[in-house]
Amino acid sequence: MSNEEIRNGADAAAEEETRESRNFIEQEIDKDLAEGVYTTVHTRFPPEPNGYLHIGHAKSILLNYGLAQEYGGKFNLRYDDTNPTKEDTEFVESIREDVTWLGADYEDRIFFASDYFQEMYEVAVKLIKKGKAYVSELTAEQMREYRGTLTEPGRNDPNRDRPVEENLDLFERMKNGEFADGERTLRARIDMSSGNINMRDPIIYRVAHMTHHNTGDKWCIYPMYDFAHPIEDAIEGITHSICTLEFEDHRPLYDWVVREAEYPHPPRQIEFAKMFLTNVVTGKRYIKKLVLDGIVDGWDDPRLVSISGLRRRGFTPESIRKFVDLCGVSKSNSSVDYAMLEYCIRDDLKIGCKRMLAVLDPIKLIIDNYPEDQVEYLDADNNLENPELGKRKIPFGRELWIERNDFMEVPPRKYYRLFPGNEVRLMYGYFVRCTGFDKDEDGNITAVHATYDPETKSGSGFTGRKVKGTIHWVYAGQAVPVEARLYENIIDEEKGVYNADGSLNLNPHSLTVCRAWAEPALQDVKPFERFQFVRNGYFCVDYKDSREGAPVFNRIVGLKSSFKLPKK
C-alpha cells in the first residue's frame, strides 16, 4: 500500500469518526448545507405563553441556540400565541427572563405568532381558492365520527365539495363574527383515507370570540397550531424547525402547509426526543393546581423544576447547560435521573463558592475552661480548593452553637463526634473534650459542656495527639439568626408520581424550615448569592423572602451523592 493510500485511508477514518461524534441533527444540517438546500442555519424556540418553562424546555432552548451558534446562524424567540384561551402576559415576561438567563441570545429577534394573523388568514384564503380548504358545519362530535380510526378510513365531510365562492363567503363571515364558537371551522382538504390521521382534513381555523393578549378583539377566528406553526417558520426564514418527537406524525402536514402556501424557501422539520426526569412534575396543569391549592408558593417554588424555580433555588445557567450536554440528543425517549442535575450544580459550585459556618439545628456548647469575656478571631479558608478566594476572620468564644446531631449521650459504634469523655476538633479552632450536658425537666438535652486544650489551636503545628472527629460551630455571642429551607422532592419517590386516580403523590416532608445560626458574614448578603454551608450543603439567598439583615437561604443541593457519570 502506498503512502498516499495510507493517508487517504487515515483521512477517511478520521472523517467517519468526526461524523459519528456528531448528533443526528448536526448530520442532517451538514447534509443540507453540503447539498445547497440551505446556505445558512436559522433556528427558533417557539413556546406557547400559557405557563412557566421547565427543565425540559431548557433542552430545546439550548439545542436550538447551540445549533445557531455552531453554524454561525441566527436564533429567534417566538411566542406561539395562537390560542387566546390560555395565554397571559405574565407568562410572556417569565419566558423572556428564562431564555435570557440561560444565555440564549436572540438579539432583537423576538416575535409573536399573533403578529402574523393577517398573513395566516391570507394563506387560508389562498388554500380555499386552490380548492385545498373548505368551511365545515360539523360539530366536534360529528367530526370525530367522520374521522375514522387507526384501522378504518374516515368519511368525507358533507361540506367537502362546497363551491370555492361559497367557502370564501363563509370564511369571510367567520372572520366578521357572524358565527358562534364551534359553529363553523375551516378544514384543509387533503385525504380522508390517509393512514396518518393528522392528514384527514384537519381543522386549520376555528371560531373563538375571546380577547387576545396581543391583538385584543381584532380577531374572532384563530389558526390551529399545525397550520400556524409552519407559516410562522417560513415567514421568519427558519431553516430547521427542531421539535420534539410527538410532532413526528405531524411532519407530513407541516410539509403540506408550506408546500401549498408556496413559500420559496420552505423550512424543514426535524424531531428529537424529549428529556424526561425521574419522579418530577413538569405538566403545566399539575403545577398550576399545586400553585392554586397553595401547596407551593408560586411557579418559582424551589421544589419545582420550572426554570424560574431552579433559578430561585440556586441552580446556575452553567449547571443546566452542562446537564443538557450530558443528556445529549437522541431520537429515543429515555429518563434521566434527577441526581445527574444535582451532580452538575455541585460540580459548578465546588470551586467558586465560599465555605461558611452555619448551624441548622442548634444546641449550645459551653467551653467551661475558656475565659468568659474573651473573644478571639480565627483564620478560616474561604475555600481550600480555591486559594484565590482568600481567608476570613471568624469570632470564637466560650459559648458556641453546634449541630444537635453532633452530640449523643449514648453513641453507637463508630460515632466520632461529641459524647461524654470524647474529644473532637472544632473546625479552625481547638480540641474540646465533652465533660457533661444539661437536660430540662422533660429530659431534653439543652446544653453540652466541654473543656478545651489551648495547645491544640488549628495552625499551631500541634502533633501531640489526634482526634477522629471534626465538627463545625458558630460563636453564640456574634451569631446571626437566619432561616434555612431544606428541600426534598415534592413527589413521594417510593410511591411514584401519580396515584391511581391521576392525582399527585405528594411528599409531606418536601420542605423543612430551620431557624439557624450563622457566622456574622452571612448577615449582609444579596439575593442569589451562593455559599457552601460546611457539612450541610450548598445554599442560595432567596430573592423573594429575604429582607435586609434577615436573609433566607434555600438549600440547592447536599454535599454528597452516590451518582457517578456513566462511562463513555
Side-chain angles (χ1 to χ4, degrees):
M1 183 181 291
S2 68
N3 289 338
E4 185 175 351
E5 288 174 320
I6 293 172
R7 279 196 303 273
N8 289 340
D11 290 344
E15 186 176 328
E16 178 64 19
E17 184 178 343
T18 300
R19 192 188 71 80
E20 289 181 357
S21 69
R22 297 173 70 71
N23 66 55
F24 74 94
I25 296 178
E26 291 170 323
Q27 292 178 25
E28 291 296 321
I29 293 176
D30 289 344
K31 184 171 179 287
D32 286 342
L33 294 174
E35 294 177 355
V37 178
Y38 305 106
T39 58
T40 187
V41 172
H42 198 155
T43 63
R44 82 290 172 270
F45 174 62
E48 184 178 359
N50 64 352
Y52 281 63
L53 302 181
H54 57 68
I55 186 68
H57 293 110
K59 179 174 181 178
S60 181
I61 294 166
L62 295 172
L63 173 59
N64 277 283
Y65 176 66
L67 289 169
Q69 288 290 100
E70 179 183 349
Y71 290 95
K74 296 178 180 178
F75 168 76
N76 293 2
L77 171 60
R78 180 209 309 143
Y79 293 100
D80 221 321
D81 58 342
T82 58
N83 184 357
T85 62
K86 299 179 180 179
E87 292 150 6
D88 194 286
T89 52
E90 174 191 353
F91 302 133
V92 170
E93 291 306 314
S94 72
I95 289 169
R96 190 197 320 252
E97 185 177 349
D98 289 346
V99 173
T100 301
W101 179 74
L102 282 172
D105 185 7
Y106 46 83
E107 299 176 17
D108 61 346
R109 290 182 301 280
I110 183 167
F111 303 106
F112 290 84
S114 53
D115 290 337
Y116 310 140
F117 279 168
Q118 182 61 40
E119 184 161 345
M120 292 176 191
Y121 175 78
E122 291 168 3
V123 170
V125 170
K126 183 176 188 175
L127 294 181
I128 293 172
K129 289 179 177 179
K130 292 175 67 175
K132 298 291 185 177
Y134 60 94
V135 174
S136 173
E137 299 174 20
L138 292 182
T139 65
E141 185 177 344
Q142 290 171 328
M143 207 166 287
R144 280 192 293 272
E145 292 174 5
Y146 274 76
R147 194 180 189 192
T149 66
L150 291 172
T151 56
E152 298 175 346
R155 291 180 290 147
N156 284 349
D157 188 311
N159 309 123
R160 197 171 195 266
D161 297 321
R162 193 195 299 273
V164 168
E165 291 304 319
E166 190 177 336
N167 281 317
L168 288 171
D169 176 65
L170 286 169
F171 190 50
E172 177 76 13
R173 291 167 61 192
M174 285 171 61
K175 179 174 78 77
N176 293 339
E178 293 185 27
F179 299 108
D181 293 3
E183 197 174 349
R184 296 288 189 279
T185 59
L186 183 69
R187 299 182 70 177
R189 194 173 191 271
I190 306 177
D191 182 3
M192 288 302 294
S193 63
S194 172
N196 185 337
I197 290 182
N198 295 301
M199 300 297 282
R200 295 181 187 175
D201 291 13
I203 297 173
I204 58 176
Y205 260 94
R206 83 280 196 199
V207 177
H209 292 269
M210 297 193 70
T211 300
H212 189 279
H213 79 97
N214 188 31
T215 59
D217 296 319
K218 181 179 179 180
W219 296 90
C220 63
I221 56 170
Y222 292 95
M224 302 299 286
Y225 177 87
D226 279 342
F227 175 71
H229 192 74
I231 294 174
E232 296 155 20
D233 284 344
I235 290 171
E236 293 177 15
I238 301 302
T239 57
H240 296 85
S241 183
I242 312 299
C243 59
T244 46
L245 275 181
E246 69 263 34
F247 293 103
E248 188 170 24
D249 289 342
H250 297 247
R251 193 195 321 145
L253 180 53
Y254 182 102
D255 293 340
W256 183 90
V257 170
V258 292
R259 183 174 64 251
E260 294 297 339
E262 300 175 20
Y263 283 104
H265 303 290
R268 176 188 178 188
Q269 179 175 301
I270 303 175
E271 306 85 16
F272 68 97
K274 277 185 175 180
M275 181 169 65
F276 295 97
L277 264 69
T278 53
N279 290 325
V280 299
V281 181
T282 56
K284 290 176 183 175
R285 68 185 180 96
Y286 289 108
I287 295 177
K288 185 176 182 179
K289 181 169 173 53
L290 291 174
V291 173
L292 293 177
D293 291 349
I295 295 169
V296 297
D297 76 345
W299 289 81
D300 65 349
D301 188 289
R303 288 167 289 181
L304 301 176
V305 291
S306 60
I307 294 176
S308 56
L310 292 169
R311 179 169 66 247
R312 182 179 173 190
R313 184 156 172 172
F315 281 81
T316 61
E318 293 79 10
S319 67
I320 294 176
R321 289 199 290 267
K322 179 169 185 173
F323 175 67
V324 168
D325 285 343
L326 288 174
C327 290
V329 180
S330 170
K331 289 214 74 162
S332 302
N333 284 325
S334 60
S335 292
V336 180
D337 196 327
Y338 184 82
M340 188 161 88
L341 179 58
E342 293 181 322
Y343 163 84
C344 292
I345 186 62
R346 281 193 199 93
D347 188 63
D348 188 45
L349 296 180
K350 67 180 179 181
I351 298 299
C353 273
K354 290 183 179 179
R355 299 178 180 179
M356 313 294 283
L357 299 178
V359 176
L360 306 188
D361 184 17
I363 188 172
K364 187 70 68 70
L365 173 66
I366 302 169
I367 306 173
D368 292 310
N369 65 333
Y370 193 89
E372 195 162 343
D373 298 326
Q374 180 174 312
V375 177
E376 61 179 306
Y377 290 84
L378 306 177
D379 288 322
D381 292 293
N382 284 326
N383 188 327
L384 273 171
E385 296 182 63
N386 185 358
E388 291 183 6
L389 292 181
K391 295 178 181 286
R392 68 187 186 283
K393 296 286 187 180
I394 52 175
F396 180 89
R398 185 171 185 266
E399 294 191 4
L400 311 174
W401 293 112
I402 63 170
E403 297 287 355
R404 188 171 296 275
N405 64 8
D406 280 341
F407 171 79
M408 294 190 75
E409 182 180 357
V410 182
R413 289 183 65 234
K414 296 187 178 181
Y415 180 87
Y416 300 122
R417 287 166 277 171
L418 278 176
F419 57 87
N422 194 45
E423 190 173 45
V424 301
R425 173 177 289 284
L426 296 177
M427 190 174 290
Y428 309 122
Y430 301 91
F431 288 9
V432 294
R433 185 181 301 277
C434 179
T435 57
F437 51 89
D438 301 329
K439 287 186 176 182
D440 62 19
E441 57 187 19
D442 296 322
N444 300 310
I445 295 171
T446 57
V448 178
H449 290 266
T451 57
Y452 88 115
D453 182 347
E455 294 184 4
T456 61
K457 186 175 182 179
S458 181
S460 67
F462 175 79
T463 58
R465 63 186 182 278
K466 294 183 178 180
V467 292
K468 290 187 176 180
T470 299
I471 65 173
H472 70 284
W473 51 273
V474 173
Y475 171 51
Q478 295 183 29
V480 296
V482 300
E483 181 177 310
R485 297 172 179 174
L486 312 183
Y487 299 103
E488 294 180 12
N489 194 338
I490 199 166
I491 295 299
D492 187 329
E493 295 186 19
E494 291 185 3
K495 297 179 181 178
V497 178
Y498 304 109
N499 291 307
D501 63 359
S503 61
L504 295 174
N505 264 319
L506 297 177
N507 174 10
H509 308 295
S510 62
L511 170 62
T512 301
V513 178
C514 301
R515 305 301 174 188
W517 291 102
E519 62 173 280
L522 288 171
Q523 184 169 27
D524 297 318
V525 291
K526 298 176 182 177
F528 295 110
E529 276 194 278
R530 300 172 184 87
F531 304 92
Q532 183 192 121
F533 287 0
V534 172
R535 300 174 66 218
N536 279 315
Y538 292 99
F539 287 76
C540 178
V541 182
D542 189 81
Y543 84 94
K544 186 182 280 188
D545 296 331
S546 293
R547 299 292 179 266
E548 187 174 349
V552 174
F553 292 92
N554 298 323
R555 184 158 70 180
I556 309 167
V557 67
L559 294 177
K560 295 181 180 180
S561 172
S562 59
F563 177 81
K564 293 183 180 179
L565 282 178
K567 294 181 180 179
K568 293 184 178 180

